[in-house]
Amino acid sequence: MRTRAAVARQAGGPILIEDLELDEPRRDEVLVRMIASGVCHTDAAVRDGVIPTPLPAVLGHEGAGIVEAVGADVTTVAVGDHVVLSASSCGTCRPCLRGEVAYCEHNFDINFTGRRRDGTTTFRDADGAVGGPFFGQSSFARYSVVLARSLVKVDRDLDLTLLAPLGCGMQTGAGAVLNELRPEPGSTFAVIGVGAVGSAALMSAVVSSCSRVIAVDVVDARLDLARELGATDVINSRREDLLARLLEVTGGRGVDYVLSTAAIPSVLRSAADALAVRGSLALVGSSPSGTEVPFEIGESLNKGWSFRTIIQGSSVPQTFIPALIELWRRGQFPFDRLITHYRFDDIDRAFDDSERGVAVKPVLIHDHDTEETP
């Protein structure tokens, strides 16, 4: 079939809306009619050449939609099911068999190359292959062929235009706190960067009953929203000294847990220096290859502090996304407050608004008024 899709053709260039040929689903794949897709910083990193995904490609990895057809071996979903799409994994390597699917040994090949594992793509144009599935899904298309392991079935009464960002950004921030850091009630927590990922982490720290939840950003509007979401303290690191303020807020004791969504060496160094004894610093933000951070190890040795990197919130999407939905239903995880909706054709504006801090989490709505016929 043919489908409308947003294509990134060259690093740093615009994303173009085009008609492409879409392959039929194979035995372990599913055809999904996309209803919505979040716009994530990772999509921008690929578009700009920071992450080396071969272009042209159809990006998008926070999709939500309705199953239209299933491959012969697929048993987890059926035609008509409503689904949220997340990262995929092989299911057979050692981390996958341990339940650590976010750390699949084949993560890059499956999620970032825009190719099936046999090297083929799900999209084509007149000149040949166009990358897909990206992250097992390529959700910047009205229809896409998706790896079944990317799918999370959800209740049909839920609004898919709200659920789409759970597949990556919200899952990453919330999972980093709830699955990995696991702050104790009464502990102190700081998040650096309160975009979508950081805001999800902040809300999860509130759920965890942290005594102080500190939001750090350079955009005052985001800090204002962070207060509304439960932050007890806010720091504008463009105007204030980050290390001094973190120590001031905690009475000189330091912060028990710091999560950074920004892979900026100077910021990470300040965060490490601000840790309390036995504190933990975690990073979820991406950076260009070769980026290094000069941590001090002399005086800090006695702190017994730790640093770790976290992918996808160390989540198993099929269990963690339903848990987040339940927290949302209870009013404890109001991620819907972060969302701004855009028409699919306004994808470049959505990217631009995200980069400028105008929108915390842009979500594209697919127009099916003139939809394709599978």
Side-chain angles (χ1 to χ4, degrees):
M1 63 176 291
R2 293 187 66 78
T3 189
R4 199 80 165 150
V7 184
R9 289 206 165 269
Q10 60 182 9
I15 293 181
L16 307 175
I17 306 297
E18 304 178 11
D19 288 326
L20 300 176
E21 291 289 338
L22 178 63
D23 203 356
E24 294 183 358
R26 295 184 178 179
R27 301 183 69 87
D28 60 346
E29 296 175 336
V30 174
L31 176 66
V32 175
R33 175 165 60 95
M34 297 294 174
I35 301 300
S37 179
V39 172
C40 180
H41 175 71
T42 301
D43 296 311
V46 172
R47 178 202 61 184
D48 295 338
V50 177
I51 297 174
T53 296
L55 301 180
V58 178
L59 306 180
H61 61 285
E62 293 183 339
I66 300 171
V67 174
E68 295 283 334
V70 299
D73 294 341
V74 176
T75 59
T76 51
V77 295
V79 172
D81 283 346
H82 288 207
V83 289
V84 171
L85 285 60
S86 190
S88 196
S89 56
C90 75
T92 58
C93 68
R94 290 181 65 188
C96 283
L97 294 176
R98 292 195 301 261
E100 298 177 335
V101 296
Y103 303 96
C104 173
E105 292 176 357
H106 304 285
N107 178 47
F108 190 87
D109 291 343
I110 292 173
N111 291 304
F112 288 97
T113 61
R115 300 288 189 275
R116 296 179 172 110
R117 296 188 71 184
D118 65 1
T120 62
T121 67
T122 53
F123 297 99
R124 295 183 64 84
D125 63 10
D127 296 322
V130 174
F134 177 69
F135 261 70
Q137 57 182 277
S138 289
S139 58
F140 289 167
R142 284 181 179 169
Y143 286 85
S144 193
V145 170
V146 176
L147 285 170
R149 287 183 61 82
S150 297
L151 300 176
V152 181
K153 183 178 175 181
V154 297
D155 293 341
R156 297 190 185 191
D157 65 329
L158 296 172
D159 185 351
L160 291 174
T161 69
L162 295 181
L163 299 188
L166 293 176
C168 182
M170 305 301 174
Q171 174 178 242
T172 295
V177 176
L178 299 176
N179 296 332
E180 193 73 29
L181 292 177
R182 300 184 181 183
E184 304 85 3
S187 58
T188 55
F189 175 88
V191 56
I192 300 173
V194 283
V197 173
S199 295
L202 185 154
M203 291 185 285
S204 299
V206 174
V207 169
S208 301
S209 300
C210 293
S211 61
R212 302 203 80 125
V213 179
I214 307 160
V216 180
D217 207 293
V218 297
V219 179
D220 285 332
R222 289 188 175 186
L223 294 173
D224 291 340
L225 177 58
R227 280 198 183 277
E228 295 175 16
L229 295 174
T232 58
D233 306 90
V234 299
I235 300 171
N236 188 315
S237 57
R238 179 171 288 161
R239 297 194 300 263
E240 304 174 84
D241 183 277
L242 178 58
L243 173 57
R245 285 287 287 127
L246 287 174
L247 292 175
E248 178 187 348
V249 167
T250 57
R253 177 179 173 274
V255 187
D256 295 314
Y257 299 92
V258 180
L259 178 69
S260 181
T261 69
I264 301 172
S266 61
V267 171
L268 290 171
R269 172 61 193 271
S270 294
D273 291 344
L275 288 174
V277 172
R278 300 296 288 164
S280 294
L281 169 61
L283 172 66
V284 295
S286 60
S287 63
S289 179
T291 302
E292 297 181 352
V293 182
F295 291 130
E296 195 276 333
I297 60 173
E299 294 181 6
S300 66
L301 178 64
N302 293 330
K303 281 187 176 181
W305 66 280
S306 63
F307 172 70
R308 72 190 81 175
T309 57
I310 302 173
I311 301 174
Q312 286 287 319
S314 299
S315 304
V316 177
Q318 288 73 18
T319 57
F320 191 62
I321 288 176
L324 292 180
I325 292 172
E326 183 58 30
L327 286 174
W328 172 71
R329 286 185 187 270
R330 296 178 187 176
Q332 295 177 280
F333 190 70
F335 71 93
D336 53 304
R337 296 193 56 189
L338 308 176
I339 292 173
T340 303
H341 287 131
Y342 295 79
R343 293 175 57 251
F344 180 56
D345 288 351
D346 292 331
I347 185 170
D348 276 330
R349 183 164 68 88
F351 271 94
D352 184 58
D353 285 356
S354 177
E355 291 168 9
R356 293 188 297 117
V358 173
V360 177
K361 173 49 67 175
V363 173
L364 303 171
I365 307 300
H366 290 279
D367 177 13
H368 287 279
D369 290 342
T370 57
E371 64 183 75
E372 302 88 335
T373 302

